[in-house]
Amino acid sequence: MDTQVDYVHRYQSPLGGITIASDGAALVGLWFDDQRFFAASPSPEQEEKPLPVFEQADRWLNLYFSGRDPGFAPPVKLRTTEFRQAVCNIMLTIPYGRTMTYGKIAEIVARQKGVRHMSAQAVGGAVGHNPVSLIVPCHRVIGAHGALVGYGGGLDRKAALLALEHANLSGNFIP
């Protein structure tokens, strides 16, 4: 698994500082600065440099934090395991303002792998290590029965992101 970060960029969101990482062409990381698993293995040589992909990310974030679906995504390169990649690909299908449970993602992964069962807890581990938060919308993954659980950026932030997207939170709760 390649975790080298060559270039970084900072963005100030209404929910806190964000660090964005790129290999020069695509995003390889996007984290709230106080998030768990922040920059898992940054390169000691990382450099702040203006890049077109950072301009795209800033535009995406500006639209997103204004309460609109950006309608596009900057290029993303997920440097992760095959299993985590599969989970991230499923998260990318969750529409703006909607949610999906860890259990549903586990069902989809099991079907893709041709196995009878996949652990929702294993999916939770993959979701929790999502290297490109927000753009790969791990905040849209919820627990069984609507529980807002398992967001590395904090549960209050997860609720705020879903509210920003005008997601129906009437059946959701923070345990």
Side-chain angles (χ1 to χ4, degrees), residues 4 23 26 50 75 86-87 94 102 110-111 132 136 141-142 146-147 157 164:
Q4 181 179 348
D23 64 1
V87 171
I94 305 170
Y102 293 95
R111 192 172 35 244
V132 187
V136 178
V141 182
I142 61 172
R157 195 175 276 145
L164 180 73

Side-chain angles (χ1 to χ4, degrees), residues 21 77-78 128 134 141-142 149 166 175:
K77 180 179 181 182
L78 298 172
L134 298 175
V141 182
I142 61 172
V149 296
H166 307 289

